[in-house]
Amino acid sequence: MKIHLIGNAHIDPVWLWRWSEGMQVVRATCQSVLELLDRYPNFKFSFSSVIFYKWLEENDPDMFAKIKKYVQEGRWEILGGWIVEPDCNIPCGESFVRHSLYGQLFFKSRFGKFAKVGYNPDSFGHNASIPQILAKSGMEFYVFMRPAPHEKELPSYIFNWKSKDGSAVLTYRIPRSYATGIGDLRQDLESFLREVNEKLEKAMFFFGKGDHGGGPTEENLKSLERLKNEFSNHTFIFSTTEEFFRDLKGEEYPTVEDELQYHSRGCYTSCSLIKKLNRQTECNLITSEKISAISSLLTKKEYPREKFQEAWETLLFCQFHDILAGSSIEPAYEDARNFLGSSLHTADKLANYAFQNIANRIKIERQAVIVFNPSSWQRKGVVEVELSWQDEALQFISPDGEIQEGQEIQSLSVTGMRRFLFLADVPPLGYKVYELLPAKKEYNPDYKLENEFFSLSLDENGYISHLLDKTANLEPLTYPALVPLVIEDPGDAWGHDINSFREVVGQFKAYEAKFIEAGPLRWKLRVKSRYGESELWQDFIVYKGLPFIDVEATLLWKEKRKMLKISLPTVMSKSTAFFSIPYGFIEREQNGEEQPLNQWMNIDDENKGYGVAFINDSKYGGDVLEGEMRLSIVRSPVYAHHIPRQLESGIDYHYMDQGYHRFSYRIYPHKGSWQDAGVVRVAEEFNNPLLSMIEHPHQGTLPPSFSLLEIKPLDVIISALKFAEEEDALILRLWETTGKRTKTLLIVNHPHTSWEGELAPTEIKTLKLDLNSLKFEETNLLEV
């Protein structure tokens, strides 16, 4: 073989230590590597994670300057192109885009070039959209290690990894490990050779102390010189990952069109607070960018690029695989909570400033509520307002005179303030003003869970015992349904060596049920249940005019080494199920094994022409077996427990997910396939609610209703709307959601222009609109 020797230092900035220690490890490692580069002229070094370079530039500019020198000489390889090596299942698609955008632009500005090799050797599985994101971010190659060969069979260590849209990157699975010891490398090299012998003609051997840094040592280099002579039937060269891939030019390798799974399936659920904050921060940043861009277009207010970038990069740091996956020590999550709180505050503050800026310029004739729609399609949804209102009831009048009745609900305070909800109908990426007018209270409460779409009943345990879809004359579930199942979970923080969590040891059972809202727009039945020392309150909700059932839950979890799942058994007989993944979807076998997911999972039955979607606001794991979907809610291993280490008796360990949790989920029974029913849009609406603001009378020049754009067909959505990073242009990110090649028409109303084009299945297409010429340019994810 020809063996490329890759000196590297995999550093976990957070894991069994906090980020402040991780920063020191980066400095110490790079100092050590620079000394070796000075003394060994043939030695080369590969190093990932843009955040490490940013830390060095700020805290040790002399060291950073020396690194730049070696990058220019080709002996220090900038690797990865992303802010960190993230979890590669849990972040949303746009987060992966921002890893590339901010990471690659930093590399270009400091080193004059982009990274060419994507690099996530330690991440716990890799979603099937990654090749498209890499290919559209200036990267041609990818390196990973997990899942290992015993976890995922592949045709070769080297293969072309392909996404549904046709994008592909040449990919290398690291044999054995990305790290070695600090001394003689004989055992490491022999193990490597045993694994790849007669399987590869060219390979990469990674060496250097990892995890807590260190990198290659002088003894590593000396031992490699000795071993080169001893294993003289092979050719050894000090190299970089890009040089290795360039050396493969002209050779043919198999193609893999699949996700790279599975490793450590418990990580989809561990440490649910961080996962909830991640989802909330992603959604709020994306919404904030949209309303800020519209505010800038309508009022010429400066778009806050730098503030958004800082908030995004803080979020992206917290997506490091050992943080977001839930495998770090408990104090690390105190830091991550604070980091994410900072980004979430920035998102909400900038959204509020932009909304206020728009509202101040709309002509308002009487007290009103302004509703903003962050989606690229017309939306009908629930809006709640709290105010001091003296009349008997309240109604809402749209600009075209349509009257929307209001329903009074429980106030958030006990002060005399009143709270109302109504159903708003708002144009895409725009707003609508609803004036507030007095009304008579004429509705008599109706204590049942029923609307024009569904009739729903619960049994004495608080489980669904009847659900009729009136429009299809079909009962889509088997009973009991929505049972909170307690699962035995003896695993460690990662869930190592566990494929499924299905050993049921108990169920929450109801002790009280009562209606807390009874129409005319929303019906809400609160069910209180217990298991052991834990308590679960679930509000079952149906709406007038909306074809889904929502559940808002508050959980007090006190169980240890257990998992909670919500069970949704259906009458669907198909043997596979669909799961959302970042910027895409995937079809998997119904086998009861734990699966990663983003916002939804779905079972369709072609024979029935019907399906059921299970949508969530903050969860990332679940399983499907024989038509039953189970959504994983919390799990409670000991923090940072890693097998084969055993827990000792008499020690007071700290267990994950203890205490209060709030989460919501949506049941969406539908006719036709999930594509026909627009499941992606329904899930996006659930995770990105309408924004609202009460406004008092004033003069203004903006109209009472506005829509920035219209896009056809609805299967293509605008997933991101922002200003370009480095020029006066508008960025519109289009995403085909159903897996079909689609001709698309985009009409922009302000400024007035249009674009026509075609998107490949699940393609992410980025358009740049020059605000001077009003011409569109198709660009890549780096906006260049």
Side-chain angles (χ1 to χ4, degrees):
M1 284 185 294
K2 182 179 182 181
I3 299 172
H4 292 248
L5 303 172
I6 310 298
N8 82 107
H10 172 73
I11 297 178
D12 296 322
V14 175
W15 180 30
L16 307 180
W17 44 85
R18 299 172 80 164
W19 73 276
S20 53
E21 183 173 337
M23 181 183 287
Q24 187 278 328
V25 168
V26 170
R27 286 193 297 106
T29 298
C30 291
Q31 181 61 48
S32 173
V33 169
L34 287 169
E35 291 173 1
L36 291 177
L37 287 166
D38 288 343
R39 294 163 53 200
Y40 290 85
N42 293 328
F43 170 55
K44 295 181 180 181
F45 182 66
S46 300
F47 198 50
S48 77
S49 304
V50 169
I51 193 65
F52 298 164
Y53 293 88
K54 289 197 162 199
W55 286 349
L56 292 171
E57 182 181 42
E58 183 169 344
N59 293 289
D60 196 332
D62 291 340
M63 183 186 294
F64 188 76
K66 200 167 185 180
I67 290 172
K68 287 181 70 174
K69 169 182 172 291
Y70 279 118
V71 170
Q72 292 169 357
E73 293 177 4
R75 295 182 59 204
W76 183 300
E77 180 184 27
I78 55 172
L79 192 59
W82 287 2
I83 299 299
V84 293
E85 296 172 15
D87 183 282
C88 289
N89 285 313
I90 294 173
C92 72
E94 190 60 23
S95 283
F96 287 103
V97 170
R98 300 310 173 95
H99 273 287
S100 286
L101 175 65
Y102 299 128
Q104 289 282 59
L105 290 183
F106 177 85
F107 275 165
K108 181 71 171 179
S109 66
R110 301 312 193 271
F111 303 107
K113 61 181 179 179
F114 297 130
K116 294 298 182 181
V117 182
Y119 187 76
N120 291 298
D122 200 27
S123 300
F124 311 140
H126 308 257
N127 76 78
S129 297
I130 287 177
Q132 180 181 183
I133 293 168
L134 292 173
K136 294 183 176 180
S137 302
M139 287 181 266
E140 305 171 46
F141 314 110
Y142 193 55
V143 175
F144 78 103
M145 186 180 75
R146 310 183 196 278
H150 71 280
E151 297 168 312
K152 171 73 172 180
E153 184 177 342
L154 291 168
S156 171
Y157 284 94
I158 305 171
F159 57 92
N160 290 294
W161 189 21
K162 189 176 181 181
S163 289
K164 288 183 187 298
D165 76 306
S167 301
V169 288
L170 188 58
T171 299
Y172 182 81
R173 171 192 261 171
I174 297 177
R176 198 192 65 82
S177 178
Y178 53 75
T180 62
I182 60 175
D184 186 89
L185 297 180
R186 170 181 291 278
Q187 290 185 352
D188 299 282
L189 184 59
E190 288 178 340
S191 174
F192 166 82
L193 291 173
R194 282 194 299 270
E195 185 167 339
V196 301
N197 188 39
E198 298 184 356
K199 297 176 183 176
L200 294 173
E201 295 181 357
K202 297 175 182 178
M204 285 191 281
F205 173 71
F206 287 77
F207 69 97
K209 179 76 170 135
D211 296 337
H212 201 240
T217 66
E218 188 164 21
E219 182 54 37
N220 288 163
L221 298 179
K222 290 179 177 179
S223 71
L224 284 173
E225 290 297 338
R226 294 193 298 269
L227 292 167
K228 280 183 185 182
N229 297 324
E230 189 169 337
F231 294 90
S232 58
N233 55 322
H234 301 296
T235 301
F236 296 87
I237 59 169
F238 288 107
S239 186
T240 67
T241 63
E242 184 179 352
E243 288 173 347
F244 165 76
F245 283 114
R246 300 293 181 202
D247 196 23
L248 302 179
K249 187 175 181 180
E251 301 180 23
E252 293 186 3
Y253 294 95
T255 296
V256 173
E257 296 185 49
D258 194 9
E259 58 187 348
L260 305 181
Q261 309 288 6
Y262 300 87
H263 180 85
S264 297
R265 303 188 200 219
C267 288
Y268 312 149
T269 305
S270 296
C271 201
S272 62
L273 171 63
I274 288 307
K275 291 174 168 62
K276 178 177 180 177
L277 285 172
N278 175 76
R279 176 82 62 86
Q280 188 177 5
T281 306
E282 287 175 329
C283 291
N284 288 24
L285 276 171
I286 291 168
T287 292
S288 185
E289 286 181 331
K290 289 176 178 177
I291 194 170
S292 295
I294 292 173
S295 174
S296 295
L297 290 171
L298 292 178
T299 71
K300 306 302 181 184
K301 185 178 184 294
E302 184 179 359
Y303 182 80
R305 289 179 180 84
E306 293 78 11
K307 293 178 181 178
F308 276 123
Q309 179 174 347
E310 182 180 1
W312 269 109
E313 290 188 5
T314 301
L315 164 65
L316 301 178
F317 175 76
C318 293
Q319 292 176 347
F320 177 72
H321 56 268
D322 279 314
I323 299 176
L324 193 53
S327 51
S328 290
I329 57 174
E330 186 175 11
Y333 290 105
E334 298 174 10
D335 296 333
R337 179 198 61 200
N338 295 337
F339 280 138
L340 290 169
S342 170
S343 291
L344 191 56
H345 170 67
T346 297
D348 293 347
K349 179 176 68 174
L350 295 178
N352 181 49
Y353 285 1
F355 205 167
Q356 298 276 358
N357 192 44
I358 294 170
N360 188 46
R361 288 164 172 78
I362 303 172
K363 183 178 181 180
I364 305 292
E365 295 185 352
R366 58 169 58 93
Q367 189 176 16
V369 57
I370 307 172
V371 184
F372 175 77
N373 174 11
S375 304
S376 57
W377 58 91
Q378 184 103 4
R379 272 180 64 174
K380 187 175 184 180
V382 174
V383 175
E384 297 182 14
V385 294
E386 183 129 352
L387 73 168
S388 177
W389 189 256
Q390 304 303 320
D391 291 282
E392 183 178 354
L394 177 61
Q395 59 186 352
F396 302 81
I397 313 298
S398 70
D400 57 8
E402 183 180 355
I403 297 175
Q404 298 290 340
E405 61 183 327
Q407 175 182 329
E408 187 164 9
I409 58 176
Q410 182 178 342
S411 171
L412 298 179
S413 68
V414 190
T415 61
M417 295 286 283
R418 298 170 71 186
R419 192 168 186 85
F420 296 86
L421 68 84
F422 73 103
L423 293 176
D425 193 357
V426 191
L429 282 168
Y431 64 81
K432 184 180 286 188
V433 176
Y434 286 87
E435 294 183 343
L436 279 54
L437 290 176
K440 294 292 184 181
K441 189 173 183 179
E442 299 175 344
Y443 177 76
N444 294 318
D446 186 11
Y447 296 100
K448 59 183 179 181
L449 290 174
E450 186 171 356
N451 63 8
E452 59 268 51
F453 298 100
F454 304 111
S455 174
L456 173 68
S457 301
L458 276 64
D459 64 19
E460 68 277 5
N461 291 316
Y463 315 147
I464 292 180
S465 58
H466 168 78
L467 174 62
L468 174 66
D469 183 337
K470 296 179 179 180
T471 65
N473 193 29
L474 175 73
E475 293 192 41
L477 306 181
T478 61
Y479 310 113
L482 294 190
V483 180
L485 302 174
V486 180
I487 308 293
E488 187 68 23
D489 181 5
D492 63 10
W494 290 256
H496 280 119
D497 302 328
I498 298 176
N499 291 332
S500 61
F501 299 88
R502 293 192 61 87
E503 185 181 344
V504 177
V505 295
Q507 303 169 349
F508 279 77
K509 293 186 177 180
Y511 65 86
E512 181 183 339
K514 62 180 180 181
F515 273 93
I516 58 175
E517 293 175 12
L521 303 176
R522 185 167 73 184
W523 292 261
K524 183 182 290 189
L525 175 66
R526 176 165 295 163
V527 176
K528 301 179 181 180
S529 58
R530 290 195 184 103
Y531 171 84
E533 297 184 12
S534 300
E535 186 148 340
L536 176 65
W537 291 15
Q538 294 198 96
D539 293 345
F540 293 83
I541 305 168
V542 297
Y543 309 86
K544 178 182 178 181
L546 299 178
F548 41 73
I549 299 146
D550 285 350
V551 181
E552 297 173 349
T554 301
L555 170 68
L556 175 58
W557 183 250
K558 294 186 177 181
E559 311 309 311
K560 297 176 175 63
R561 308 195 82 183
K562 300 286 190 297
M563 174 186 274
L564 175 62
K565 284 177 174 276
I566 302 293
S567 165
L568 183 66
T570 75
V571 299
M572 306 299 116
S573 60
K574 189 178 176 74
S575 62
T576 60
F578 290 89
F579 298 79
S580 65
I581 64 173
Y583 271 141
F585 65 88
I586 196 161
E587 186 174 11
R588 302 183 180 120
E589 181 184 355
Q590 292 191 29
N591 57 15
E593 295 182 356
E594 194 73 3
Q595 305 286 351
L597 58 97
N598 268 207
Q599 295 183 356
W600 56 269
M601 51 183 162
N602 183 95
I603 304 177
D604 289 337
D605 190 323
E606 295 174 359
N607 294 327
K608 293 182 174 66
Y610 199 89
V612 179
F614 200 171
I615 298 167
N616 74 85
D617 74 338
S618 56
K619 304 302 173 185
Y620 294 95
D623 68 79
V624 185
L625 182 65
E626 297 177 350
E628 178 194 21
M629 294 180 278
R630 292 182 177 181
L631 182 66
S632 302
I633 305 301
V634 294
R635 66 182 299 255
S636 45
V638 170
Y639 278 98
H641 172 214
H642 194 309
I643 61 170
R645 295 278 184 175
Q646 298 296 312
L647 301 180
E648 300 178 18
S649 61
I651 296 180
D652 294 326
Y653 292 104
H654 286 207
Y655 292 82
M656 290 187 191
D657 284 352
Q658 303 296 290
Y660 281 99
H661 304 265
R662 289 183 178 175
F663 60 95
S664 298
Y665 55 92
R666 172 171 288 178
I667 312 304
Y668 180 39
H670 56 82
K671 294 179 182 178
S673 68
W674 65 266
Q675 294 101 325
D676 298 333
V679 165
V680 169
R681 294 192 299 278
V682 174
E684 287 286 327
E685 291 179 7
F686 190 56
N687 281 270
N688 299 277
L690 299 171
L691 304 184
S692 64
M693 174 187 298
I694 293 177
E695 188 71 10
H696 292 82
H698 57 70
Q699 294 299 310
T701 58
L702 293 179
S705 181
F706 171 82
S707 174
L708 178 67
L709 54 78
E710 179 182 4
I711 189 167
K712 299 177 182 179
L714 294 177
D715 292 340
V716 176
I717 69 174
I718 305 291
S719 57
L721 174 73
K722 58 185 281 293
F723 272 67
E725 295 302 312
E726 298 182 340
E727 57 188 292
D728 185 25
L730 191 67
I731 296 295
L732 300 95
R733 189 112 54 232
L734 282 62
W735 170 38
E736 197 289 313
T737 61
T738 64
K740 302 172 186 176
R741 186 169 296 277
T742 304
K743 292 183 178 180
T744 303
L745 172 63
L746 171 66
I747 300 173
V748 179
N749 299 318
H750 186 92
H752 187 72
T753 187
S754 64
W755 174 87
E756 287 186 77
E758 185 175 83
L759 276 75
T762 70
E763 182 180 358
I764 312 159
K765 187 181 290 291
T766 303
L767 301 179
K768 185 191 298 184
L769 174 59
D770 187 298
L771 295 175
N772 296 310
S773 67
L774 301 186
K775 292 182 179 180
F776 280 102
E777 174 192 354
E778 293 187 25
T779 184
N780 62 16
L781 299 178
L782 306 183
E783 304 173 8
V784 296

